[in-house]
Amino acid sequence: MENPVPSYVPSDIYTKHFWEKEAIREKVDLKVPDGFPSVIDSELAWTGTEVEAKESTWRLDLNDEEIAAIDAALAKFEANHDDLSDLSSSTFELPAAFSQRLRKLSDQIYKGVGFQLIRGLDPSKYTAKQSLIVYAGVCSHVCPQRGFVDVQAKGVVVNVQSEDNGPATTAPAFTNVPLSFHTDNCEVMAFFYMEPAPSGGETILSSLWQTYNELAANRPDVLHTLAKPWIFDSFKSYDFQPPRHVQPLRKLDSDKLPILFRFSRYGILGWQRTRNPDLPAPTEAQIEAADAIQFIAMKNAFKLPAKKGDLLFANDMALVHAREGFDEGGDVMKRHLIKMHFRDPEQGWGIPASLENEWKTVYSSNEPDGSRKETWNIFHEPGLEEQSSVNG
């Protein structure tokens, strides 16, 4: 029987084949790459079973008084500001005790299990613009610095919705197919669950540090492959977004952040769009590494029990996320999430000098005079998905 063909969304047969190969694979006599840790001992390294038992540490339920305070902050912001870029913890004013309660969530994002869920908001009582104000306003009390979400470093909002009449080549994030595990190449990724799908579409989280530990113990050869240069295709016009030369796994000289993973199967395998034949084809070792990340992450994954109105913060430097496929239940596309990127400068997670320019593109100024000009796309428009830096 021939080996199954690798694809962006691995089939059940492909998944079974991977684990069958792992079961009979001889242990390699190889250590982790020079300077890399043999194990990462951290609360950020977890399995789904472990984190499910810690719900009290990653879920915050808003009470009636706090929801009223959010609505009052919304009304005051609308009365005094027209520009959404004015949003900050000082302009979206919350009672001090409530603000401090939100601020402490950052510790859990950076030092705990790596994610937080805030429950209690009802987006159906807000207009689209008001939902953005509430979303970004609450987030400013958790992680105060916003990041750009597009390749042009202009937009700060992505409306993640399926395309009703989108082209067959639409990237996977904007369809109803499953998303494989990937990072967003930011520091903290946030979702506002405006409307869940009638069936499926659940967000899935997994610890990259747990994946690293299992690879270090059983497949150090994969870590060696990940620590070498790769080329990710953008599957877009190269005038707009050229291929990315990346090193998916880097060692960092930091006690807080010992390694940095940056990965997506889409960049090497594509989905509907074919990889440019002028680029080097993925090697067998690279495909094995992509499979190892996908399947080990899935083995240890946690399916987030998100509901309409929930706010999710996920540490994109220590976790990967995926999504189940979903059924809209009719012709109208219903599922709608709003995504933004944030960071907390006070947490002090460093990055390699080689990535400083990339980080500045996301989090620093975008104007020649050093100022920052943000675009807020209140509604999704066909074509905007092409501006997203990562589409699955």
Side-chain angles (χ1 to χ4, degrees):
M1 176 179 174
E2 293 185 4
N3 292 340
V5 177
S7 63
Y8 172 73
V9 181
S11 65
D12 291 342
I13 292 176
Y14 193 88
T15 304
K16 181 174 180 287
H17 180 73
F18 172 83
W19 288 115
E20 286 175 345
K21 284 178 63 178
E22 290 302 299
I24 61 174
R25 186 185 300 276
E26 293 185 8
K27 191 173 180 66
V28 295
D29 185 17
L30 186 68
K31 297 185 182 301
V32 300
D34 289 345
F36 281 75
S38 58
V39 65
I40 302 175
D41 183 12
S42 169
E43 285 190 56
L44 286 160
W46 46 257
T47 66
T49 301
E50 291 168 344
V51 85
E52 186 175 9
K54 297 181 178 180
E55 185 173 4
S56 62
T57 69
W58 51 257
R59 176 175 157 181
L60 183 151
D61 291 311
L62 300 174
N63 58 42
D64 291 343
E65 184 179 346
E66 290 167 335
I67 294 171
I70 289 172
D71 289 345
L74 165 64
K76 188 170 184 178
F77 181 88
E78 287 187 302
N80 293 286
H81 302 272
D82 292 322
D83 190 349
L84 295 183
S85 292
D86 291 340
L87 279 162
S88 69
S89 58
S90 60
T91 60
F92 193 83
E93 299 180 42
L94 296 175
F98 182 25
S99 177
Q100 291 171 7
R101 186 182 185 212
L102 293 173
R103 191 74 184 91
K104 288 180 181 178
L105 300 185
S106 178
D107 287 339
Q108 196 60 238
I109 295 167
Y110 283 86
K111 303 170 187 175
V113 296
F115 67 95
Q116 283 290 296
L117 193 72
I118 298 178
R119 177 159 294 169
L121 293 172
D122 178 9
S124 63
K125 71 179 185 181
Y126 305 122
T127 66
K129 184 176 180 180
Q130 287 174 333
S131 291
L132 270 184
I133 295 171
V134 167
Y135 177 22
V138 171
C139 288
S140 69
H141 289 266
V142 180
C143 292
Q145 190 172 358
R146 283 189 296 271
F148 294 112
V149 295
D150 61 2
V151 297
Q152 296 177 309
K154 293 180 179 179
V156 293
V157 175
V158 175
N159 285 279
V160 183
Q161 292 176 283
S162 303
E163 292 279 11
D164 280 310
N165 297 302
T169 54
T170 297
F174 296 88
T175 67
N176 64 349
V177 303
L179 291 189
S180 294
F181 283 103
H182 62 281
T183 57
D184 259 34
N185 302 339
C186 63
E187 196 155 319
V188 175
M189 180 198 72
F191 280 146
F192 189 17
Y193 290 81
M194 298 290 289
E195 189 69 54
S199 175
E202 285 86 353
T203 301
I204 308 170
L205 302 176
S206 191
S207 166
L208 270 174
W209 292 10
Q210 178 68 24
T211 297
Y212 176 91
N213 285 343
E214 295 194 18
L215 290 173
N218 304 309
R219 293 297 307 275
D221 57 308
V222 168
L223 297 181
H224 281 264
T225 299
L226 292 166
K228 295 176 182 177
W230 294 41
I231 299 179
F232 285 4
D233 200 345
S234 69
F235 301 99
K236 301 175 185 176
S237 165
Y238 288 172
D239 292 335
F240 182 70
Q241 187 179 7
R244 296 177 56 227
H245 294 254
V246 302
Q247 182 181 326
L249 175 64
R250 295 173 183 265
K251 181 187 77 70
L252 304 185
D253 296 320
S254 167
D255 293 336
K256 298 178 181 178
L257 187 63
I259 61 164
L260 181 62
F261 256 120
R262 286 293 180 241
F263 195 75
S264 168
R265 290 177 72 87
Y266 183 53
I268 60 167
L269 295 173
W271 181 77
Q272 297 197 46
R273 297 170 175 176
T274 305
R275 184 178 174 92
N276 187 338
D278 291 335
L279 296 178
T283 65
E284 183 178 340
Q286 288 175 334
I287 292 174
E288 274 198 18
D291 289 346
I293 292 174
Q294 172 69 21
F295 297 123
I296 294 174
M298 182 57 78
K299 176 173 68 75
N300 297 315
F302 174 64
K303 187 187 297 185
L304 194 75
K307 297 181 178 180
K308 181 175 180 176
D310 283 355
L311 276 176
L312 168 68
F313 300 84
N315 186 326
D316 194 61
M317 301 175 80
L319 308 182
V320 278
H321 61 282
R323 181 193 71 203
E324 287 191 336
F326 58 93
D327 181 4
E328 296 282 37
D331 295 332
V332 179
M333 299 302 186
K334 301 181 180 67
R335 186 180 187 272
H336 180 199
L337 276 62
I338 306 177
K339 180 171 72 174
M340 296 183 72
H341 291 166
F342 295 94
R343 72 184 296 263
D344 182 355
E346 293 183 9
Q347 292 291 345
W349 275 27
I351 59 167
S354 59
L355 289 178
E356 284 183 0
N357 288 336
E358 181 179 321
W359 232 241
K360 288 178 180 177
T361 299
V362 177
Y363 291 108
S364 297
S365 65
N366 61 344
E367 294 291 303
D369 62 0
S371 62
R372 182 179 171 94
K373 186 177 180 180
E374 299 174 337
T375 299
W376 294 73
N377 294 308
I378 297 176
F379 300 100
H380 175 70
E381 298 176 10
L384 284 178
E385 71 277 358
E386 287 297 293
Q387 298 182 24
S388 295
S389 56
V390 179
N391 286 321

